[in-house]
Amino acid sequence: QVQLVESGGGSVQAGGSLRLSCAASTSTSSRKLMGWFRQAPGKEREGVASIYAGSGATFYADSVKGRFTISQDDAENTVYLQMSSLKPEDTAMYYCAASLYGLGLWYQTNTYSTWGQGTQVTVSS
């Protein structure tokens, strides 16, 4: 089973940028869909962005469109989330997730079978 390790979180001021990384232990053959989710205290985990390993098709939550970019480096088995124009409401624990077959809705947590441990992003005003 694939293992995921996130990194790149931290504290930034509003308007700043961060790049999150998700290193996978396997190649794309065992993880057709990769996603980034976030969870703020007292709130449900929500889908932020996802990318299909084969086609490279991407999906974004409306709240991050135009500010966040998901990408993948197949050679490094790594998925990135470039976050720009950060807002205080982006503050959350960010999780990377993998789906073996890529079936289901990209923004639903039950589409994914493997999760990373999370990395904290804090945006101050």
Side-chain angles (χ1 to χ4, degrees):
Q1 185 175 359
V2 62
Q3 293 182 327
L4 306 172
V5 178
E6 302 102 329
S7 61
S11 297
V12 295
Q13 290 190 329
S17 299
L18 282 173
R19 188 178 77 158
L20 305 183
S21 300
C22 173
S25 61
T26 65
S27 67
T28 56
S29 62
S30 60
R31 45 179 181 84
K32 301 302 183 185
L33 176 67
M34 297 291 293
W36 283 99
F37 285 73
R38 66 186 181 187
Q39 187 168 21
K43 294 188 176 181
E44 293 187 352
R45 191 169 296 189
E46 63 172 354
V48 174
S50 72
I51 185 167
Y52 278 93
S55 66
T58 58
F59 302 88
Y60 296 93
D62 288 344
S63 59
V64 306
K65 279 182 181 177
R67 299 189 299 122
F68 290 11
T69 302
I70 189 171
S71 62
Q72 58 188 358
D73 184 330
D74 293 342
E76 297 294 328
N77 289 333
T78 301
V79 175
Y80 301 98
L81 185 68
Q82 178 67 48
M83 305 185 295
S84 302
S85 302
L86 283 162
K87 304 175 182 180
E89 50 263 44
D90 294 319
T91 295
M93 184 71 79
Y94 282 71
Y95 298 91
C96 178
S99 171
L100 176 59
Y101 299 111
L103 302 177
L105 298 173
W106 73 267
Y107 53 84
Q108 290 187 334
T109 56
N110 59 13
T111 295
Y112 303 83
S113 57
T114 303
W115 295 81
Q117 82 288 353
T119 185
Q120 177 68 38
V121 172
T122 302
V123 184
S124 58
S125 57

